[in-house]
């Protein structure tokens, strides 16, 4: 059973920064890739960033240059460093792990960007 636990969300002012963490129950090396998604109530879940097992990264255009996804294999954890936050970044952020046999979701962590 794969468990993913996100943390690090909270309330931040526009222009501020947050770092989200997603810790897996076991090695993250078994996953082909890990991703961050976000969702606003009433809207579809949006893909934000991906990091592959080889360390390649990609981002949705709206966060390119502001967000950075990274991984620490020894800690079984991935991160999402979010800088220059905007009110439109407000959402519940979810971690996802992809394997050939399927994917796994975390429970989410809320990020609110407001003055």
């Amino acid at each position: 059973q794969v468990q993913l636990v996100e943390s690090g969300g909270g309330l931040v002012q526009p222009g501020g920064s947050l770092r989200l963490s997603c810790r897996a129950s076991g090695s993250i090396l078994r996953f082909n890739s890990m991703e961050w998604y976000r969702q606003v109530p009433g809207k579809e879940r949006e893909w934000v960033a991906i990091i592959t097992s080889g360390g390649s990264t990609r981002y949705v255009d709206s966060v390119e240059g502001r967000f950075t996804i990274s991984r620490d294999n020894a800690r079984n954890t991935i991160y999402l460093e979010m800088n220059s936050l905007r009110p439109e970044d407000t959402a519940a952020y979810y971690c996802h792990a992809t394997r050939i046999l399927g994917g796994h979701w975390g429970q989410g962590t809320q990020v609110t960007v407001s003055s």
Side-chain angles (χ1 to χ4, degrees), residues 36-59:
W36 286 99
Y37 287 76
R38 64 187 180 186
Q39 188 170 24
V40 175
K43 293 190 175 182
E44 291 189 359
R45 194 165 292 188
E46 175 189 36
W47 171 78
V48 175
I50 185 172
I51 186 164
T52 69
S53 57
S56 298
T57 60
R58 284 191 294 118
Y59 303 88

Side-chain angles (χ1 to χ4, degrees), residues 54-75:
S56 298
T57 60
R58 284 191 294 118
Y59 303 88
V60 67
D61 287 347
S62 59
V63 309
E64 183 78 53
R66 300 188 298 121
F67 290 12
T68 302
I69 188 171
S70 61
R71 60 191 293 150
D72 184 336
N73 294 333
R75 297 180 185 273

